[in-house]
């Protein structure tokens, strides 16, 4: 019973894989709104130029 | 002097200079100040010295606008009024709050901050707070937008602090359980000749109180409800010829607008406001933000609980340390509730100046109070400009926190929506029980119910007190300004022949 449940979960996970964009793709698709003065709004976060650079380096 | 209820014959042979209805911070301050000037005052209070369901029931109402506090619980209908449940936070309005700002509709009071400043020392004494100069405030290095702002905290409950003095005052007759139900106007409809008062005994008759002048200090919502219900002689209610009474209802939105992820909580600044430089260049309404501290130490909160148990301890701490302990929040109970909270994050709360909107209003509805007068509906509305102000404030604070390496901030999801629906009182504090602007002050009768002297337009001897007369709300808690305005009104009412001449002019 346990192995059957595991198999079903794995099947669902593999099947969903093409629809789950990897982290780097999600980050690149995020809308960055410039606030001026070296600040940006990304998904509600108020970030600096350095924050954005750090994120880009992290996912590239 | 005091009467527990009013009976026929109680007032035989007595005359009063001023009849004040409502014994909250405005009414009590006004009564005491008038008495000090030798005026005879009758002070009507609908409740007693303790809260009672019989009196409180008259505050039943409903919300038909934004999700807001039940009007039954956001007000208190007994001696001391709202001071029986306030947090004591005091701050005068800023100079800019009184100024005309072309980008804000109906902005500008007919008086300036300099008209209230002379009453600051007396207001400090009434509220038992140190002078404003003792509050640490100041610009923030390398930040052009924000400044740190401070508050003072009053320990005064007007009920316990002033009831004995008022009862013993030979110039004040305090009448408890006395409900103001109507005002009687003369044939010109420009002069009040009497106040109609009822007790709770259904068998008792209404009584009329005569005085030279009348002042309503019933509260930010109740001043409007009373005037709108007072339609026995004037269609639509007294002072409402232009359908203004009840409109422009404002609160101070108190929402949690963002969450901060701390990089360095040790560098925490708590309260921010607009810097003078930003004020000069911005088109924003006024605002302040408050970063709720995530760091709660057990010893500190235990000490806070100890010193906040009574006025004596608070005074002792102030005498020894030179500053009053902040008893507004925290304490052992709060520490226990938040002991497992993530100390790396904290919410950011806003107190913003609401933009005046005639559709944000309070109005009478079909429901009736026990005397048969229409109950109140609150139709609180916020404009897109109000939400834009909150977003811009958050962005300013976010830039500061990032620049100062304190942390990074994220706007709450509801505020990022193009058509925001703010959270209600079930999960947050939508406002501060600050009911303002429903009978606003303006020298133009087309845009306000009272003039610069708090006198109702078109009625020579009727005055209003309290936050209903605020022309615009600012962002500061209202009680300090309420007290300043009451002290200023007392000076005006004691002005003698000059005042009588002004009032007579309005009767023509």
């Amino acid at each position: 019973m346990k192995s059957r449940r595991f198999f079903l979960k794995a099947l669902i996970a593999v099947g969903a894989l093409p629809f789950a964009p990897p982290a780097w793709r999600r980050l690149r698709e995020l809308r960055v709104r410039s606030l001026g003065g070296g600040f940006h709004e990304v998904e509600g976060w108020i970030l600096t130029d350095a924050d954005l650079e750090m994120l880009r380096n992290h996912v590239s | 002097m005091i009467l527990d209820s009013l009976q026929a014959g109680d007032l035989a042979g007595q005359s009063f200079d001023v009849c004040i209805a409502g014994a909250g911070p405005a009414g009590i301050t006004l009564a005491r100040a008038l008495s000090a000037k030798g005026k005879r005052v009758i002070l009507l209070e609908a409740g007693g010295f303790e809260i009672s369901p019989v009196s409180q029931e008259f505050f039943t109402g409903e919300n038909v606008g934004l999700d807001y506090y039940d009007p039954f619980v956001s007000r208190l209908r007994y001696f001391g009024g709202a001071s029986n449940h306030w947090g004591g936070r005091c701050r005068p309005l800023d100079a800019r709050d009184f100024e005309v700002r072309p980008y804000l509709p109906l902005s500008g009071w007919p008086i300036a901050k300099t008209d209230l400043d002379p009453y600051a020392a007396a207001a400090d004494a009434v509220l038992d707070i140190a002078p404003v100069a003792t509050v640490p405030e100041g610009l923030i290095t390398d930040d052009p937008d924000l400044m740190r702002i401070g508050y003072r905290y009053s320990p005064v409950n007007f009920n316990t602090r002033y009831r004995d003095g008022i009862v013993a005052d030979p110039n004040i007759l305090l009448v408890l359980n006395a409900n103001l139900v109507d005002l009687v106007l003369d044939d010109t409809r420009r002069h009040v000749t009497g106040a109609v008062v009822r007790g709770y005994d259904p068998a008792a008759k209404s009584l009329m109180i005569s005085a030279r002048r009348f002042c309503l200090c019933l509260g930010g919502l109740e001043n409007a409800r009373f005037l709108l219900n007072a339609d026995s002689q004037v269609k639509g209610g007294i002072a409402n010829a232009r359908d203004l009474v009840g409109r422009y209802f404002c609160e101070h939105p108190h929402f949690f607008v963002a969450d901060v992820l701390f990089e360095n909580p040790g560098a925490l600044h708590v309260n921010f406001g607009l810097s003078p430089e930003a004020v000069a260049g911005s088109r924003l309404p006024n605002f302040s933000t408050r970063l709720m501290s995530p760091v709660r130490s057990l010893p500190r909160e235990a000490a806070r609980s100890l010193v906040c148990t009574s006025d004596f301890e608070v005074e002792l701490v102030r005498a020894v340390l030179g500053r009053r302990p902040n008893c507004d929040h925290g304490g052992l109970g709060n520490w226990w509730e938040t002991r497992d909270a993530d100390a790396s994050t904290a919410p950011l709360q806003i107190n913003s100046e609401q933009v005046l909107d005639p559709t944000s209003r309070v109005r009478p509805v079909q429901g009736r109070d026990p005397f048969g007068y229409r109950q109140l509906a609150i139709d609180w509305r916020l404009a897109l400009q109000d939400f834009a102000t909150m977003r811009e404030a958050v962005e300013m604070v976010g830039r500061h926190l990032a620049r100062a390496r304190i942390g990074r901030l994220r706007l709450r999801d509801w505020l990022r929506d193009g058509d925001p629906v703010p959270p209600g009182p079930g999960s947050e504090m939508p406002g501060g029980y600050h009911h303002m602007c429903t009978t606003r002050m303006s020298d133009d009768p087309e845009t306000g119910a009272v003039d610069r002297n708090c006198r109702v337009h078109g009625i020579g001897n009727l005055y209003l007190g309290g936050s209903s007369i605020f022309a615009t709300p600012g962002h500061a808690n209202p009680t300090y300004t309420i007290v300043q305005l009451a002290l200023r009104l007392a000076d005006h009412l004691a002005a003698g022949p000059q005042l009588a001449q002004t009032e007579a002019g309005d009767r023509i």
Side-chain angles (χ1 to χ4, degrees):
Chain A
M1 192 68 183
K2 266 188 180 178
S3 62
R4 189 177 171 192
R5 195 176 297 156
F6 174 80
F7 174 76
L8 280 173
K9 279 186 180 175
L11 191 64
I12 291 168
V14 170
L17 201 55
F19 304 101
W24 64 267
R25 191 171 147 199
R26 274 191 287 129
L27 277 167
R28 283 186 178 180
E29 286 177 353
L30 289 178
R31 199 166 64 88
V32 178
R33 184 169 68 94
S34 175
L35 301 177
F39 292 94
H40 312 272
E41 191 229 307
V42 184
E43 287 289 293
W45 287 98
I46 310 299
L47 302 177
T48 63
D49 281 339
D51 293 331
L52 275 188
E53 190 62 27
M54 184 267 291
L55 284 171
R56 284 178 181 135
N57 290 338
H58 183 70
V59 300
S60 63
Chain B
M1 295 179 288
I2 180 170
L3 291 172
D4 195 32
S5 62
L6 201 57
Q7 308 293 329
D10 281 343
L11 302 180
Q14 296 203 53
S15 63
F16 301 100
D17 294 304
V18 183
C19 171
I20 301 170
I28 288 173
T29 302
L30 179 60
R32 293 178 68 245
L34 286 169
S35 167
K37 296 173 188 299
K39 299 295 179 186
R40 283 272 296 150
V41 174
I42 181 166
L43 176 59
L44 306 172
E45 170 51 51
F49 284 134
E50 305 292 336
I51 193 167
S52 81
V54 175
S55 173
Q56 192 67 21
E57 186 182 352
F58 285 76
F59 277 171
T60 300
E62 58 184 288
N63 283 299
V64 296
L66 287 172
D67 197 3
Y68 187 62
Y69 303 112
D70 184 341
F72 182 83
V73 301
S74 65
R75 309 174 286 167
L76 293 172
R77 202 169 183 267
Y78 65 108
F79 187 83
S83 78
N84 286 294
H85 66 181
W86 79 316
R89 196 149 77 141
C90 292
R91 181 179 169 82
L93 292 176
D94 298 330
R96 69 181 300 229
D97 293 323
F98 296 88
E99 296 166 359
V100 174
R101 288 162 285 169
Y103 48 91
L104 294 179
L106 291 176
S107 58
W109 291 50
I111 58 174
K113 185 173 189 297
T114 49
D115 290 309
L116 292 186
D117 283 344
Y119 300 94
D124 292 350
V126 169
L127 292 161
D128 194 8
I129 48 179
V132 71
T134 61
V135 179
E137 289 202 343
L139 299 174
I140 302 168
T141 310
D142 297 332
D143 194 312
D145 297 330
L146 298 174
M147 62 180 288
R148 276 181 291 122
I149 63 168
Y151 294 90
R152 293 172 288 169
Y153 288 86
S154 167
V156 172
N157 172 324
F158 281 69
N159 183 336
T160 53
R161 179 65 66 96
Y162 294 119
R163 78 161 81 159
D164 291 345
I166 283 183
V167 169
D169 193 322
N171 283 336
I172 301 176
L173 174 60
L174 169 65
V175 187
L176 299 176
N177 301 304
N179 298 279
L180 178 71
V181 294
D182 203 358
L183 291 173
V184 178
L185 304 174
D186 70 4
D187 291 341
T188 68
R189 305 289 188 259
R190 289 175 170 270
H191 189 81
V192 180
T193 57
V196 183
V197 175
R198 276 183 70 171
Y200 293 104
D201 181 356
K205 288 182 178 175
S206 299
L207 297 170
M208 192 163 97
I209 294 169
S210 299
R212 295 179 68 191
R213 297 180 180 93
F214 298 82
C215 185
L216 308 182
C217 301
L218 301 167
L221 300 177
E222 206 63 6
N223 270 355
R225 185 175 85 99
F226 172 80
L227 290 170
L228 292 167
N229 269 311
D231 58 359
S232 59
Q233 292 175 279
V234 182
K235 189 181 177 187
I238 291 175
N240 195 36
R242 294 167 179 85
D243 188 26
L244 286 176
V245 172
R247 293 191 182 272
Y248 305 110
F249 169 66
C250 286
E251 245 283 11
H252 290 134
H254 270 47
F255 304 112
F256 290 133
V257 285
D259 295 284
V260 176
L261 178 64
F262 286 103
E263 184 178 355
N264 176 15
L268 192 67
H269 297 158
V270 177
N271 298 307
F272 299 108
L274 275 170
S275 71
E277 192 179 334
V279 166
S282 87
R283 293 170 59 85
L284 283 174
N286 213 346
F287 71 83
S288 63
T289 64
R290 189 180 192 192
L291 196 50
M292 313 303 276
S293 171
V295 183
R296 297 211 176 281
S297 79
L298 177 59
R300 190 177 65 187
E301 298 311 323
R304 195 197 304 271
S305 280
L306 276 175
V307 301
C308 292
T309 50
S310 74
D311 283 355
F312 173 76
E313 279 89 357
V314 170
E315 287 304 312
L316 195 62
V317 170
R318 185 170 76 160
V320 174
L321 298 182
R323 61 184 172 82
R324 184 179 297 283
N326 181 357
C327 297
D328 189 35
H329 61 84
L332 271 178
N334 187 271
W335 175 84
W336 181 256
E337 288 169 7
T338 59
R339 67 195 184 285
D340 294 327
D342 183 357
S344 64
T345 65
L348 183 80
Q349 186 183 42
I350 193 144
N351 286 339
S352 58
E353 176 186 20
Q354 185 179 342
V355 178
L356 291 188
D357 171 5
T359 68
S360 180
R361 63 187 297 195
V362 297
R363 54 186 164 82
V365 288
Q366 288 307 309
R368 303 280 165 159
D369 71 19
F371 289 157
Y373 293 97
R374 290 171 295 169
Q375 292 174 338
L376 190 77
I378 303 175
D379 189 354
W380 184 36
R381 302 185 188 197
L382 290 171
L384 288 178
Q385 191 176 359
D386 293 310
F387 296 115
T389 302
M390 295 180 209
R391 277 194 290 266
E392 193 148 347
V394 170
E395 288 173 12
M396 283 181 173
V397 175
R399 287 196 292 264
H400 169 70
L401 297 180
R403 192 184 290 123
R405 305 293 302 269
I406 295 172
R408 301 294 183 277
L409 169 156
R410 185 176 191 269
L411 282 93
R412 292 245 168 138
D413 285 339
W414 68 265
L415 189 55
R416 295 174 56 211
D417 196 289
D419 189 12
V421 178
S427 57
E428 282 192 23
M429 296 169 61
Y433 295 175
H434 302 164
H435 310 131
M436 299 169 286
C437 306
T438 53
T439 59
R440 66 185 298 271
M441 179 187 287
S442 170
D443 276 345
D444 181 357
E446 297 292 335
T447 56
V450 299
D451 67 13
R452 64 180 57 211
N453 294 315
C454 312
R455 191 177 52 148
V456 170
H457 283 296
I459 301 182
N461 62 341
L462 179 60
Y463 295 80
L464 304 182
S467 54
S468 72
I469 65 171
F470 284 19
T472 53
H475 74 83
N477 300 52
T479 301
Y480 190 82
T481 307
I482 290 171
V483 170
Q484 282 183 304
L485 284 167
L487 293 166
R488 180 172 173 272
L489 176 56
D491 267 1
H492 178 75
L493 293 176
Q498 191 183 349
L499 170 64
Q501 198 173 9
T502 315
E503 291 179 344
D506 211 45
R507 296 181 65 185
I508 295 168

